[in-house]
Structures are given as structure tokens and as C-alpha cells.
Amino acid sequence: MIETIREINQSRQEHKIIDLVRYEKSEKIYSSCSEVSYDGVAVSFQTLEKLLRDLGGDTNVLIERTELVKNKKLLNNLVSCWSQSHEVPDYLHAENVFLKLQEYRSYGMSIDTRMLNIVMNAITEKINDSTQVPRLVNRIFNYMEVESEIDTNLLPNDITFTTVLTVLSKSELPETPDCAQTYLKTMTLYHKSEKIEKAPSESLYILLLQTWANSGLEIAGERAEDVLYQMQNSDRIFPGTVAFSVVLNCWGRQKKLSAANRAFAVLKHMEERFKADKKSAKPNTYCYATVIDAYGCIGKAVEAEQVLERLMDAYNESKDPDLQPNAVAFTSTIKAWSKTDSSEGPIRAEKLLERMHKLYLETGNESLAPQTIPFTSVLHAWARCREKTRKASRSEAILMKMQELYASGYEDVRPNRISYATVIDCLAKSNERSAAERAEALLESLIGLYEETGDVNLRPNTVTFTSVMDAWAKSSERHAVSRVEAILRKMEDMYAAGVQDAKPNAISYTIVLRAFATDINADDKTAEKALDILNKMKKLEGKGHKDLAPSTKTYGTVIRIIANRKGPHDNAKKVQELIQEMKNRGLPVDDFSFGYAFLACSRTRGSKAMRNSAFMIARSLYREMQQKVKSPSATSYANFIQACYRNNEKAAEGAYLDCCKHGYGQDTKVVRAVKRVSPRLLTKCY
């Protein structure tokens, strides 16, 4: 009897210790999850799972001895904190947490609709694979539907449907819109059967429209319009401006003229409805800007500007602040002009910029205050324009205007790296005599601003440096080569010092080679330097710098340099080796490369055996060219015919006949080459 009492007392004491431990662990869960942090949430889940393991899955013990665990508040807090934490470990991603909640439920813990709504709401941020979002949403919803038949605490509510559609509206998967449409229909059925109080609202239809906008499907605009008209024909849903805006966005994203025209039709429909009753969805500035951008992104600048004028007229007539033209509308129109190749493009873009600034001064509308983006868009218009006479001077004037406005207090119009790079590009394309020198002066100015301010937006990058090198390479200045080499060294030094943005790439080195190829002072050392650069690129590529892999243009430029090499060199053999390298790399051998390879063969000097070998190489390459180049140039034909001089008149005749078939029989270069080889051949074509 005494032993039995001792055992009972010992058992009671053990249970008190266990209860104390469990209480402390429960408190640890509360304190840890209240931190809303990576570590706090992880510790909370780990502690809860250890507590459940300690209980051994004994439901009676769980209920009788651990009131805190029985309380839904603990698990609700834990799930809420998990959803708010910015980072979670992989084992706590959304799908795993959903599985854990099912496991906790098997231990007797209570989970409810609110918890699963929270899990679904966090899916977008807490899932490894975004393509699995619709699948996981469906899985959680189906679980709720099935389990709610025996546990009404899991019945989907109106918040569930809102959460599902909100999550789906952030997905860009093409199957998402149909999935969202199904949930909207299911919600309607739930409402009719009185399982939920609320029917689908306009905001939920807008979420459905957003799934179409994000889908990227060609039918997105058409299907979104179907949903819009479904809303219009409803007795209780009246689509507002936001719904129409999403439909306009659907059409605008398709980047086709037919889609842009359809967006314009929807905009006019809005105008007509609102004008008729003053109750329907009212077009606002965003609606007009969306249509402007729809035309602008496909280069339909005239149409884009017409919509801008329509907006201006609507505002001037009504003075409605919701129709006040803003920077987005003007900038989209300016960008539209910047995408045209016509000489009118940059002029129209500049006029719009001036009009925008004038309107700002007249109205004080801060959204029209000078900003970097519209100014840079005008610069892009000049850079893209084919006209070369005013390209450089106008772009420099615009940059100077930006600098003046910034100096006078307009901080949002500060020129950045892109602004400088675009002006440098204009200078490089202008062919003006001093263009390269002015381009380098801008580069030095940009470097100075970066070193002075430390602003990364002013740090020159590879494109900026390369544009200046391109300006020098295109110039006829005697010291162009030395300037190009100096800029390349500057890039290499900055990159070695840790400036990753200044890393030279294959284009940078190829421009140096192009400068060598056009250098009037080139000599035998020029070819050696060119081959050294090519070998350097190949070596760096082998060390993992894939952006330095020589391109077809790189090899073609080196071949051109070899072709210009003077003296008793076996140029033919060298270009044959280079072309073989190209083929080994899988690079296409283009007309440019073949043409200069023929020239190299024609200029090979030395013994008779060497000259005969050069002709054999030229003839072999000519056969390759016929197979690989669809329309060889007159230059390539002329250079091959020259390679036939004193070697094979028959081969020259065959090439000349091929040349005539392509319409080059009277080309000056071809005629000169034929006269040198065999003048009588000219009668064969005429």
C-alpha cells in the first residue's frame, strides 16, 4: 500500500515537471513568434513540434494537460508571424507550412479558415517555384472544401475567395486567368447557396482582369473586354475607371497596331458613356497615357500624339484635375517619336519637351516639372535619327539645358550616365571632324562627376567608354588609334581597380581592331598588335570571361588588317588559319570576312610557290562563299578576281559571270579588277 502511494506521488511529481516544461515551451513559442523574424519564426515552429513529440501524439494528454496548446490563439499567432516575416528557411515555404498545419491537426490542434487564408495570402512571397502558385492555391482550397463537410471551421469564406484571386492576379502564368474565372464562378455558387454572405464584387472582377493583363496571351485583350462587358450587363456590378484601365493595359501590352487601335476604341467608348450620363467610368489621365504608350511602343508616333492632343482638349474643356496632362503622357509621346527613324522624330520630340516645360511654367503642375527621362528620350530620338548634320549639336544643347536646369534647382533633371552616353553616341554617329574629341571631353567630365560625388548613376560603364572609342575609330584624326588605345587602357585599369562596370568586352576590343584597320599609318607592327589582341581575347575567354569571346566581326576585322599588311608575308595562309578558327568556333564566315580574305590572297608577295598557294586558298574560299553567302558583295567578287591575276583567267571569268548574275557587272571596283586580269572578259557580260 505504501509503495503504491509512493508511485502515485512520484507520478504526480513527474507530471508537474512535464507540465512546467510544456508551459515554458509554449511561452517560448509566443515570445519567439512575436519577433516576426527569420530566427523567431523558425524557433517557434521547432519548439511547437518538439512539444508535440514530447506529448507522443496522445490527444487526451494534449487536451487535459496543455491548455495553451489547445488554445487556437497560439497557432494563429504563429501563422500570422510566419506570413509577416521577410525571409523563411526552405522547410517553411508555403507548401511545407500547409503540410505542417495538417500534421498539427492530426495531433488534435485546431486549424481554421483564417489560418489557411493567411497561408494562401503569403504564397506569392513564400514559394520556391512561382509556376506552382495556381496548383498550391487549388490544393489548399480543395482541402478546405472537403474537410469543411466534417469541420465547418474550414469552410471557405468571402475572404478566402478574395485571397485566392489576389494571389492569382500576381501570377504571370498563361493558365491563371481561366483558374481565376473558375473561382469567381464558384464564389457565385457559394453566395447563391448561402454559404457566404457576399457575391463577387467589382474589385474581384478587376483581379480577374489583372490575370489577363499579366498572362501575356494574344487573346488577353479580347477576353478582358468580354469580362468588362459581362460586368456592364450585370444588374449589380458597374465597372469603374480602374476596370477599364486594366482592359486598356491588356490591349497595350500586346504591342500590335490592331491592339493599340482596339485600346483607342475602348477609350472612346469610355468618353461617350461618361459624356452621356456623367455616371459611367470616367476616363482619366492614366487611361489616355496607356493608349499613348500602346501606340508609342510600336513606333506609331503620329497616333500617339493625336491621343495626347485629345487629352489636352478634354482637360482644357473641363478643367477636370483627373484629366490634367502629366509627365507620363508627354514622356510616352516623346518616346514614340524617339522610336521613329524619320528626321521629323527628334524635332517633334523636342517640341513636345518644350511644350511640356511651358505648360509647367504656366500651370505649376509639379508632374510636368523638368525630369531626366523625357530629356533623355529626346536625346535618344536624335541618336536614332539618320540625319547627321544636327545630331551632335542638338544633343549637346539638350545636355547643356539639363545641366543648367539642374544647377538652377531642378534636382529631378540631373543628367545621368545614360544622358551622357546618348550624347556621346550622337557624336560618334555624326562624323563631324571634332566629334571624337568632344565625346572624350564628355567622358572625362562624367568621370570627374562620379569621382566628385560617388553617385553610381554617374559612373561610366562599358557602353560609355566603347561609344567614345567608336567615335575615335570613325574619325579621320591622325592620332585616333592612340586615343582608342588610351581609353582601352583606362577601362582595363578601372576594371583592375574593382570597377566592374568598366570591364572591356568583345565589342571594346573589336573597335580597337577597327581603328587599326583604318589607320593610314598602319605598318607590320599593326598586324602584330591586332593578333596580340585576338590572342588576349581568346586567353581571357579561356579563363571564364565569356563576354570576351571573339565574334565574326572580330575575326573579320583582323583579316582586314592582315589583308592590308605590306611586304613579303604569307597573308593568304594566315587568313586561311583565321577562317578555320572561325569555323571551329561555330562562327559564321560572312561576306566581309571572305572579301578581305580574297584581298589578302591577292596581296600575298614572295616566291612563285607562295603566290600559287595563295590563289589555291582564294579559290577554295570562293567555293565556300558560294555555298554560305546568299548575296556576295561586288567588293568580294572584285577582290577574288584580283586574286586570279596571273594565276587563272578561267577562274576569273567564272567569277565575273557570277558577278554579272547578281547585277554587279558594271560596278566600278569589279570593272577595274577585270581590266587588270583580262579586259576581254568585259564583253562576256555586256
Side-chain angles (χ1 to χ4, degrees):
M1 183 68 176
I2 293 173
E3 288 297 321
T4 302
I5 292 172
R6 284 176 180 171
E7 287 175 3
I8 291 171
N9 288 336
Q10 184 178 355
S11 176
R12 286 175 177 173
Q13 186 65 28
E14 288 174 354
H15 281 308
K16 286 180 181 179
I17 293 171
I18 292 171
D19 283 346
L20 180 61
V21 171
R22 289 171 182 157
Y23 177 79
E24 288 175 350
K25 286 182 178 177
S26 297
E27 285 298 302
K28 187 176 181 181
I29 295 171
Y30 274 116
S31 62
S32 296
C33 73
S34 66
E35 296 175 19
V36 192
S37 65
Y38 179 102
D39 293 332
V41 170
V43 168
S44 298
F45 274 101
Q46 291 165 2
T47 305
L48 176 58
E49 287 165 10
K50 191 168 189 319
L51 179 57
L52 292 173
R53 283 197 301 272
D54 289 345
L55 293 169
D58 187 337
T59 305
N60 292 325
V61 174
L62 175 64
I63 295 173
E64 292 175 11
R65 298 182 179 278
T66 317
E67 291 298 322
L68 282 171
V69 175
K70 183 176 108 174
N71 191 336
K72 278 198 298 187
K73 183 179 177 183
L74 182 145
L75 198 51
N76 262 309
N77 283 354
L78 178 53
V79 174
S80 294
C81 291
W82 165 81
S83 71
Q84 296 173 53
S85 61
H86 295 296
E87 294 183 5
V88 293
D90 287 347
Y91 69 87
L92 288 181
H93 278 160
E95 186 161 15
N96 291 330
V97 168
F98 172 53
L99 294 173
K100 285 179 182 295
L101 291 178
Q102 293 179 67
E103 181 186 353
Y104 300 161
R105 186 170 177 241
S106 70
Y107 276 105
M109 299 188 78
S110 177
I111 67 172
D112 57 18
T113 300
R114 178 180 179 276
M115 289 184 206
L116 294 179
N117 286 347
I118 291 172
V119 173
M120 283 197 287
N121 192 51
I123 282 176
T124 303
E125 294 181 359
K126 295 178 173 62
I127 192 167
N128 275 323
D129 183 358
S130 60
T131 63
Q132 298 300 310
V133 168
R135 181 190 64 80
L136 183 54
V137 165
N138 289 338
R139 185 175 174 186
I140 296 174
F141 186 87
N142 291 339
Y143 176 82
M144 294 171 73
E145 276 203 312
V146 172
E147 295 299 319
S148 65
E149 294 181 3
I150 55 176
D151 184 355
T152 55
N153 288 323
L154 290 171
L155 183 68
N157 55 23
D158 55 322
I159 296 175
T160 305
F161 287 99
T162 301
T163 302
V164 167
L165 288 164
T166 300
V167 171
L168 292 177
S169 71
K170 299 173 184 176
S171 172
E172 297 181 354
L173 298 174
E175 64 266 25
T176 303
D178 288 333
C179 184
Q181 182 81 55
T182 300
Y183 277 109
L184 211 55
K185 290 179 180 177
T186 304
M187 185 179 183
T188 302
L189 294 175
Y190 265 56
H191 173 65
K192 288 181 178 179
S193 61
E194 299 183 349
K195 289 183 180 180
I196 57 174
E197 293 183 6
K198 297 180 180 178
S201 62
E202 183 201 3
S203 62
L204 297 188
Y205 275 93
I206 289 172
L207 292 175
L208 170 60
L209 289 170
Q210 192 59 52
T211 64
W212 282 113
N214 293 340
S215 69
L217 296 170
E218 286 191 10
I219 60 170
E222 185 179 341
R223 294 295 295 274
E225 259 198 77
D226 290 343
V227 173
L228 183 66
Y229 289 129
Q230 182 184 342
M231 294 169 70
Q232 288 178 310
N233 294 328
S234 170
D235 294 333
R236 52 181 189 77
I237 298 174
F238 302 97
T241 303
V242 175
F244 275 92
S245 298
V246 179
V247 175
L248 290 172
N249 196 23
C250 280
W251 284 118
R253 289 187 181 190
Q254 292 188 27
K255 298 183 178 180
K256 294 191 299 186
L257 180 58
S258 58
N261 288 337
R262 192 60 216 151
F264 185 40
V266 172
L267 177 64
K268 289 194 291 185
H269 177 66
M270 290 180 73
E271 290 175 332
E272 292 165 2
R273 279 169 54 91
F274 182 72
K275 188 176 181 179
D277 60 17
K278 301 298 182 184
K279 295 178 182 178
S280 299
K282 180 178 72 173
N284 59 18
T285 304
Y286 176 82
C287 296
Y288 285 91
T290 302
V291 179
I292 290 169
D293 191 58
Y295 281 120
C297 68
I298 56 174
K300 292 296 180 180
V302 173
E303 291 82 350
E305 190 166 345
Q306 287 173 349
V307 179
L308 176 64
E309 292 297 339
R310 200 178 184 94
L311 170 62
M312 297 284 289
D313 292 343
Y315 174 69
N316 290 332
E317 181 182 336
S318 66
K319 297 302 178 184
D320 185 342
D322 290 339
L323 288 170
Q324 193 168 35
N326 60 13
V328 176
F330 271 97
T331 303
S332 294
T333 312
I334 290 170
K335 283 183 176 179
W337 281 113
S338 74
K339 291 181 180 179
T340 65
D341 293 328
S342 69
S343 57
E344 185 186 13
I347 297 170
R348 293 299 309 160
E350 261 197 79
K351 286 184 177 179
L352 284 167
L353 185 65
E354 291 168 4
R355 187 178 179 187
M356 181 180 173
H357 188 57
K358 183 180 178 183
L359 201 59
Y360 164 69
L361 295 175
E362 291 174 351
T363 64
N365 180 359
E366 286 300 321
S367 74
L368 296 174
Q371 297 175 29
T372 302
I373 294 176
F375 272 87
T376 304
S377 295
V378 175
L379 291 174
H380 279 305
W382 279 112
R384 189 180 177 91
C385 175
R386 293 175 183 172
E387 183 188 341
K388 296 182 179 181
T389 53
R390 291 188 293 166
K391 185 189 292 283
S393 59
R394 288 311 309 149
S395 63
E396 287 174 306
I398 293 164
L399 180 63
M400 188 178 295
K401 181 68 174 177
M402 293 176 75
Q403 292 168 331
E404 290 171 357
L405 287 168
Y406 177 70
S408 63
Y410 294 103
E411 294 186 359
D412 291 338
V413 75
R414 183 180 191 178
N416 57 22
R417 176 175 61 203
I418 298 173
S419 310
Y420 278 90
T422 308
V423 178
I424 289 170
D425 186 41
C426 286
L427 286 163
K429 292 174 178 176
S430 71
N431 293 337
E432 292 184 15
R433 184 167 180 77
S434 61
E437 192 172 342
R438 284 145 60 192
E440 188 168 359
L442 284 176
L443 175 62
E444 291 300 327
S445 175
L446 186 59
I447 292 172
L449 286 170
Y450 168 63
E451 291 175 347
E452 179 186 334
T453 64
D455 186 350
V456 294
N457 291 317
L458 293 170
R459 183 169 62 201
N461 62 8
T462 304
V463 175
T464 320
F465 281 104
T466 303
S467 294
V468 178
M469 293 167 66
D470 188 42
W472 277 116
K474 287 178 178 176
S475 75
S476 57
E477 303 288 343
R478 295 182 65 85
H479 58 295
V481 171
S482 62
R483 295 313 311 147
V484 170
E485 290 179 299
I487 295 168
L488 179 64
R489 285 194 297 272
K490 179 74 172 176
M491 292 178 75
E492 291 174 331
D493 291 344
M494 287 181 67
Y495 177 64
V499 182
Q500 296 293 321
D501 287 349
K503 180 185 179 183
N505 58 19
I507 297 173
S508 310
Y509 285 105
T510 302
I511 288 176
V512 176
L513 293 171
R514 180 153 54 82
F516 288 170
T518 56
D519 183 15
I520 59 174
N521 300 314
D523 53 23
D524 287 355
K525 290 183 179 179
T526 303
E528 292 174 12
K529 288 199 294 183
L531 291 171
D532 286 342
I533 287 176
L534 179 61
N535 290 330
K536 181 178 183 178
M537 292 174 72
K538 291 188 288 185
K539 185 177 179 181
L540 289 170
E541 179 197 8
K543 291 182 177 180
H545 298 274
K546 301 301 181 185
D547 58 331
L548 289 173
S551 64
T552 294
K553 188 170 286 189
T554 309
Y555 276 98
T557 308
V558 175
I559 290 170
R560 181 181 179 183
I561 294 167
I562 297 298
N564 291 332
R565 184 166 57 171
K566 300 172 184 177
H569 301 288
D570 196 347
N571 293 337
K573 185 177 180 182
K574 190 60 191 177
V575 297
Q576 185 184 39
E577 291 172 1
L578 291 169
I579 286 177
Q580 187 58 50
E581 270 189 35
M582 294 174 72
K583 291 189 284 189
N584 292 343
R585 285 174 165 272
L587 293 172
V589 184
D590 60 0
D591 175 72
F592 182 89
S593 303
F594 278 118
Y596 277 102
F598 298 145
L599 186 61
C601 292
S602 73
R603 291 179 174 176
T604 296
R605 302 291 182 264
S607 65
K608 185 176 180 181
M610 187 183 291
R611 293 197 304 272
N612 287 338
S613 174
F615 168 71
M616 297 300 290
I617 290 171
R619 188 167 63 176
S620 174
L621 292 175
Y622 182 77
R623 289 168 182 161
E624 269 191 62
M625 182 185 75
Q626 287 180 303
Q627 294 174 354
K628 296 180 178 179
V629 179
K630 187 175 181 180
S631 298
S633 65
T635 301
S636 293
Y637 281 117
N639 289 345
F640 176 70
I641 291 170
Q642 289 229 92
C644 297
Y645 179 59
R646 292 181 179 174
N647 284 293
N648 193 315
E649 186 177 318
K650 188 174 181 181
E653 180 179 345
Y656 183 54
L657 291 174
D658 290 339
C659 181
C660 291
K661 289 176 185 176
H662 283 92
Y664 301 134
Q666 298 181 41
D667 181 85
T668 304
K669 291 180 182 178
V670 173
V671 171
R672 186 165 55 242
V674 173
K675 282 182 177 179
R676 185 168 184 243
V677 175
S678 178
R680 70 174 186 80
L681 294 179
L682 292 172
T683 59
K684 300 257 180 175
C685 185
Y686 300 152

